[in-house]
Amino acid sequence: MATQKKRIVILGAGFGGLFAAVEFERLARLLPGVEVTLVDSNNYHLFVPLLYHVATGGIEPGNICFPVRSILKNGGAAPPVVFRECQVQSLDLEKKRVITDRAELDYDYLIFALGSTTNYYGIPGLEQNIVPLKTIADGVAMHNRILESFEAALFETESQKQRELLTFVIVGGGATGVELACTMALFVFKTLERDFPTVASQARVVLVEAGDGLLHGMRSELGQLTLKRLKRYRVEVILNCRVASATATGIQTKDGQLIPSRNVIWVGGVKPDPLAQAIPAEKARDGRIIVDPNLEVPSLPGVYIIGDCAYALQPGTSIAYPQTAQTAVRMGTYAAGNIARVMMGYPACPFDYKYKGDLVFLGRNYAVGEFLGRVISGFPAFYMYQGYHLVTLTGFRNKLITVIDWAYDYFYRQSTVKLR
Ligand SMILES: Cc1cc2nc3c(=O)[nH]c(=O)nc-3n(C[C@H](O)[C@H](O)[C@H](O)COP(=O)(O)OP(=O)(O)OC[C@H]3O[C@@H](n4cnc5c(N)ncnc54)[C@H](O)[C@@H]3O)c2cc1C
């Protein structure tokens, strides 16, 4: 049992941090007198995997945001876990202190779960000219920008400029990129074609991928099925194509192609939060902090890194766990459990999680995925995708409204309301 008052601070109420907090609530009886504080710059948990549905009018933004306080016991106002909305500005690892815009928080144990930011890989012009997809504001901004482009195209008299406005280029052929390309094609070619018949013939949806196939890291059959499906939805897929630079009117590729577009969406990669990059610890090539099997930083006892910032090897391999919500959730639960074990005088337990598989949404009645080692596609995968996301989406209200939104899109159309 804990004998003295210990302070645990969890940074980030995303997938990793929130599940760590929930685990501490579950273990609260075993940890009397332990203070747990969860910190985030937003007072809501964002269900990022459905963000592209917001961007393409399939789901209302509020349905994928859930107030953190309503998830925690006692509204996050009193133990077992207290929530504080504030922006983390820096860490003083020597003094074991977190500096935020509202207060300084001392800790004995720290769980760092601030996630990742968009990685522009130093490509000239990219950051200034592309649309990112990471926050709820990005999702809403992208939705508005698609609609705004169609409205502006009606007034445009030069056909070159009209084409630039109506060409939507998605860079990155991973799961997020193909899901976005698919829902974008449905939005542009089904919903908006009806509303803007005079300019709709100019519209293009282009998916650019640096590798020679889609869904890199998953089984090659999934990439091939996805390619077929995207072509059916009139998505132009360009493989083996690297972006060299971007301007307000398009991208230049390394092989000299110019793709004119005023709507380039970058889902080409992420890098750990800048505060993770500032932590003086050994890092992997992708910038993630190398943690030991218990998710602790070897040179910083008491500091646990989880989720997108953690580079943890899968047991018996030299492959790191992928940066996914599934991984972050498991890491959150494990890190909390390990801190509890250490405080109670037991040895920590190495992180070991069998990846359950992937599901990729590819439009109406169709998804592809790998489940328990088998490739699945079509109708069964589509219903597994919807079922899985509804089960994991936080809050009954959100689940209910999302079902209604999905049913409405299925039978009618995606939302074309420009949001402020
Ligand atoms: C568009 C998109 C689609 C995705 N789709 C899928 C999918 O289908 N399946 C899947 O498994 N994974 C998906 N992912 C990846 C998944 O979202 C991440 O791997 C997961 O969110 C990582 O969890 P995390 O806890 O590390 O960080 P996050 O969930 O990103 O949480 C980080 C938290 O830290 C907070 N924060 C950041 N900086 C500060 C600061 N300075 N001060 C205070 N708070 C701060 C943020 O507000 C956020 O709440 C997707 C990612 C994106 C961008």
Side-chain angles (χ1 to χ4, degrees):
M1 299 287 265
T3 51
Q4 64 188 103
K5 198 168 169 179
K6 294 278 184 197
R7 293 149 308 177
I8 299 164
V9 175
I10 306 169
L11 304 183
F15 284 98
L18 186 67
F19 277 78
V22 168
E23 183 68 359
F24 279 122
E25 289 197 326
R26 200 180 68 81
L27 299 171
R29 254 183 337 105
L30 303 170
L31 304 168
V34 172
E35 277 178 9
V36 183
T37 307
L38 173 65
V39 166
D40 201 290
S41 49
N42 296 313
N43 74 345
Y44 58 83
H45 166 77
L46 175 64
F47 195 88
V48 191
L50 294 181
L51 195 53
Y52 67 94
H53 282 291
V54 171
T56 51
I59 295 181
E60 296 297 322
N63 296 359
I64 61 164
C65 298
F66 203 77
V68 176
R69 291 182 186 282
S70 65
I71 300 167
L72 298 175
K73 287 180 187 154
N74 304 320
V81 176
V82 168
F83 175 70
R84 291 287 175 260
E85 188 199 67
C86 51
Q87 176 86 22
V88 181
Q89 293 178 328
S90 60
L91 303 178
D92 185 336
L93 295 160
E94 254 173 49
K95 291 190 181 140
K96 297 195 165 191
R97 186 168 293 161
V98 177
I99 294 101
T100 78
D101 59 346
R102 290 195 158 139
E104 296 189 352
L105 306 168
D106 291 330
Y107 64 83
D108 297 292
Y109 295 93
L110 181 72
I111 298 185
F112 187 100
L114 293 184
S116 51
T117 57
T118 305
N119 194 347
Y120 300 101
Y121 299 101
I123 298 172
L126 207 56
E127 188 168 357
Q128 301 76 17
N129 294 300
I130 60 100
V131 190
L133 187 63
K134 199 76 186 84
T135 64
I136 195 70
D138 293 341
V140 172
M142 193 182 290
H143 181 68
N144 288 346
R145 190 156 164 169
I146 301 166
L147 294 167
E148 184 55 37
S149 297
F150 272 87
E151 297 290 355
L154 292 177
F155 289 93
E156 190 51 72
T157 47
E158 276 181 48
S159 75
Q160 169 66 15
K161 285 193 179 156
Q162 209 174 47
R163 271 187 90 75
E164 280 169 12
L165 282 166
L166 297 179
T167 301
F168 301 91
V169 180
I170 296 151
V171 187
T176 305
V178 303
E179 287 181 328
L180 179 62
C182 208
T183 47
M184 179 80 83
L186 287 172
F187 191 39
V188 167
F189 299 131
K190 294 237 181 317
T191 302
L192 296 177
E193 211 167 56
R194 249 182 302 170
D195 291 3
F196 298 89
T198 52
V199 292
S201 62
Q202 302 272 30
R204 293 169 72 199
V205 176
V206 182
L207 177 65
V208 173
E209 160 59 33
D212 58 4
L214 298 173
L215 299 179
H216 174 74
M218 297 185 199
R219 284 174 48 170
S220 60
E221 299 104 290
L222 299 182
Q224 284 150 17
L225 288 168
T226 302
L227 193 59
K228 269 196 209 151
R229 191 75 189 175
L230 289 178
K231 285 190 175 156
R232 211 170 130 184
Y233 280 134
R234 290 163 54 192
V235 176
E236 299 166 42
V237 180
I238 309 177
L239 298 174
N240 298 307
C241 182
R242 283 183 185 275
V243 176
S245 64
T247 64
T249 55
I251 50 170
Q252 174 96 43
T253 67
K254 286 218 164 129
D255 57 8
Q257 285 184 69
L258 188 70
I259 306 176
S261 166
R262 285 175 192 259
N263 298 293
V264 178
I265 298 146
W266 178 260
V267 283
V270 292
K271 61 180 179 194
D273 182 90
L275 287 169
Q277 293 166 38
I279 293 178
E282 201 186 339
K283 313 231 170 54
R285 273 181 56 194
D286 61 8
R288 284 188 279 174
I289 297 172
I290 298 174
V291 290
D292 70 13
N294 305 330
L295 305 176
E296 200 172 7
V297 184
S299 57
L300 297 167
V303 176
Y304 292 72
I305 312 276
I306 60 171
D308 279 4
C309 295
Y311 187 88
L313 291 182
Q314 302 183 29
T317 73
S318 55
I319 303 164
Y321 283 99
Q323 288 162 293
T324 66
Q326 281 183 56
T327 309
V329 163
R330 297 293 160 156
M331 284 183 164
T333 310
Y334 251 80
N338 271 345
I339 292 173
R341 264 181 224 107
V342 171
M343 282 197 299
M344 291 188 294
Y346 296 111
C349 184
F351 181 64
D352 188 1
Y353 160 56
K354 295 272 167 294
Y355 205 61
K356 297 280 182 301
D358 295 290
L359 282 168
V360 181
F361 174 87
L362 293 171
R364 285 190 185 147
N365 296 332
Y366 200 88
V368 295
E370 191 182 340
F371 187 65
L372 301 175
R374 293 184 57 185
V375 168
I376 48 169
S377 64
F379 218 55
F382 175 78
Y383 284 105
M384 271 178 85
Y385 170 93
Q386 293 211 319
Y388 174 77
H389 283 88
L390 284 176
V391 168
T392 47
L393 190 64
T394 320
F396 177 73
R397 177 191 164 278
N398 288 10
K399 291 181 207 283
L400 183 69
I401 299 175
T402 301
V403 170
I404 295 168
D405 276 356
W406 273 342
Y408 188 83
D409 301 344
Y410 189 90
F411 293 109
Y412 299 99
R413 45 192 265 137
Q414 288 142 296
S415 165
T416 52
V417 175
K418 231 197 263 176
L419 299 158
R420 296 287 169 211

